[in-house]
Amino acid sequence: MFKIENLEISLIKKNKIDKVLIKNISLRIPNGSIVCLVGESGSGKTLTGYSLMRIQPSQNLKITKGKIFFDNINLLELPEEKMRDLRGKEIFMIPQEPLTALNPVLTIETQLTEIFEFHTNMTKNEIKKECLRLLELVKIDNPSTRLKSYPHQLSGGQRQRVLIAMAIALKPSLIIADEPTTALDVTIQGEILELFLELRERLNLSILLITHDFGILKSISDYVYVMYGGKIVEEGTKEEIFSKPIHPYTKGLIDAVPTIDSTPKTPLKTIPGYAQISDFYCPFYERCNSAQSDCKSEFDYIFINQKHGVLCRKIMK
Ligand SMILES: Nc1ncnc2c1ncn2[C@@H]1O[C@H](COP(=O)(O)OP(=O)(O)OP(=O)(O)O)[C@@H](O)[C@H]1O
Ligand SMILES: [Mg+2]
């Protein structure tokens, strides 16, 4: 089980907090579950994902509050060498840009082999066999030829499969997949999501899937966290979120999903404004139709039942 408690990540300038980028993030990823983090661009999904690896995309970003647990270990208190061992072995992050995640001048075989050489005592022969087995597991055609390929010789879908193979190489407890299907066409996207479901079953993996696509949530998630402006504004099982969304932002996102009935004459519903870290307690305050002045000041995150929580003042009334 992975758990984040009250996480805050800030932008640091001259050793001081210049700006808080994400605030009060608490989430749980039970063993074997697929948890989705959804929200529009800039809402803080990637920073939250990286924090589980205890790294940040740049040095001027720091975790300034909170705890991150893997079972009962607070990862923020671990010595760096122990953390280095956990990265890859227990937690693997597939970053947002698959091309930058793969080294363009090394073959797929070399890149997969490095993982085993770094973390295990396997022999060259064992590693080779395992590389082939992994490519078969992620359903890459012609695995022995593909091992000799360079990343640019593969399609987007194949690169994503290679990254998934690297992710599961050491049988980690958790894979964080940051927008894994954004650059892929819908058929390949469906195949990659199927693969995640299959691997979860076979390997009892937990997956934190970061996306801005509500369609993906619908097909794959067990539990959903909706982020907006650096905060979690709503969480719940997929069923709760889709059938009883409470936060006006979640409702807006669900309404914005095109349906089969949308014809070109039916304009897509959009949410006016843009996401930003707000000084107000509800980060959606300035875009919300139902906002009242007391939404500016602090209030509790409320659970309406065990499977559904929301940061909205309206629910208290
Ligand atoms: N290296 C950085 N330096 C300064 N600010 C940053 C940095 N990385 C991210 N931020 C800011 O932190 C906030 C959250 O960024 P993050 O990358 O987590 O968003 P995201 O939800 O993953 O967005 P996207 O869907 O576009 O990937 C944004 O406001 C962003 O501008
Ligand atoms: Mg991102």
Side-chain angles (χ1 to χ4, degrees), residues 11 21 40-47 58 60-61 96 179:
L11 182 65
L21 296 173
E40 64 191 51
S41 194
S43 56
K45 306 180 296 294
T46 296
L47 292 188
S58 72
N60 55 353
L61 300 175
Q96 204 160 349
E179 306 274 4

Side-chain angles (χ1 to χ4, degrees), residues 29-247:
I29 310 168
N31 294 343
S33 64
I34 300 184
V35 172
C36 280
L37 204 52
V38 68
E40 64 191 51
S41 194
S43 56
K45 306 180 296 294
T46 296
L47 292 188
T48 306
Y50 270 110
S51 69
L52 284 156
M53 305 262 288
R54 215 179 79 183
I55 46 179
Q56 290 305 325
S58 72
Q59 282 193 338
N60 55 353
L61 300 175
K62 282 215 162 57
I63 294 176
T64 36
K65 271 188 200 153
K67 293 178 181 157
I68 299 174
F69 290 101
F70 168 41
D71 293 336
N72 288 321
I73 309 162
N74 182 356
L75 297 183
L76 300 185
E77 288 171 355
L78 274 190
E80 180 51 31
E81 78 219 60
K82 286 233 166 83
M83 198 59 225
R84 210 176 301 140
D85 200 40
L86 283 187
R87 288 185 204 116
K89 231 180 190 171
E90 290 293 351
I91 319 165
F92 194 102
M93 178 145 181
I94 303 176
Q96 204 160 349
E97 310 286 340
L99 253 188
T100 56
L102 291 166
N103 188 329
V105 295
L106 299 178
T107 63
I108 303 307
E109 181 167 13
T110 311
Q111 300 190 52
L112 269 170
T113 301
E114 275 177 352
I115 297 178
F116 294 108
E117 283 176 349
F118 187 80
H119 287 282
T120 73
N121 298 320
M122 287 162 71
T123 63
K124 279 209 158 73
N125 253 343
E126 287 168 338
I127 292 179
K128 173 100 190 189
K129 260 196 205 153
E130 191 57 14
C131 290
L132 280 171
R133 195 187 70 83
L134 279 171
L135 290 196
E136 272 163 26
L137 199 61
V138 297
K139 303 196 171 80
I140 287 203
D141 59 308
N142 229 331
S144 44
T145 319
R146 293 296 176 204
L147 274 180
K148 307 279 172 239
S149 304
Y150 289 88
H152 71 269
Q153 295 171 315
L154 303 181
S155 70
Q158 285 165 336
R159 279 198 286 267
Q160 200 55 252
R161 285 173 201 273
V162 166
L163 279 171
I164 296 171
M166 290 167 86
I168 59 173
L170 301 172
K171 304 184 182 67
S173 306
L174 173 68
I175 290 184
I176 305 154
D178 197 352
E179 306 274 4
T181 59
T182 305
L184 306 174
D185 71 56
V186 276
T187 338
I188 309 291
Q189 176 172 315
E191 285 174 19
I192 298 285
L193 295 179
E194 273 296 314
L195 181 60
F196 277 126
L197 284 171
E198 195 183 316
L199 293 174
R200 181 262 290 267
E201 290 303 316
R202 282 173 84 150
L203 310 172
N204 194 33
L205 269 177
S206 308
I207 301 172
L208 177 66
L209 194 81
I210 298 177
T211 179
H212 57 259
D213 183 340
F214 258 62
I216 290 179
L217 294 193
K218 221 169 188 171
S219 58
I220 197 172
S221 62
D222 297 319
Y223 202 82
V224 177
Y225 290 90
V226 182
M227 283 192 80
Y228 184 85
K231 286 185 181 168
I232 287 172
V233 294
E234 187 157 4
E235 68 181 84
T237 55
K238 170 173 66 181
E239 292 73 22
E240 287 276 327
I241 292 290
F242 278 98
S243 64
K244 296 177 226 147
I246 298 171
H247 198 283

Side-chain angles (χ1 to χ4, degrees), residues 232-299:
I232 287 172
V233 294
E234 187 157 4
E235 68 181 84
T237 55
K238 170 173 66 181
E239 292 73 22
E240 287 276 327
I241 292 290
F242 278 98
S243 64
K244 296 177 226 147
I246 298 171
H247 198 283
Y249 175 61
T250 317
K251 286 184 179 167
L253 275 184
I254 291 176
D255 282 349
V257 176
T259 65
I260 198 103
D261 308 321
S262 312
T263 64
K265 281 186 194 149
T266 326
L268 288 184
K269 291 187 181 169
T270 52
I271 306 176
Y274 57 94
Q276 57 182 342
I277 309 292
S278 163
D279 290 333
F280 304 121
Y281 198 70
C282 175
F284 195 57
Y285 176 77
E286 285 157 295
R287 286 170 79 184
C288 183
N289 285 336
S290 346
Q292 291 163 10
S293 60
D294 56 0
C295 304
K296 290 181 187 175
S297 52
E298 195 165 328
F299 53 91

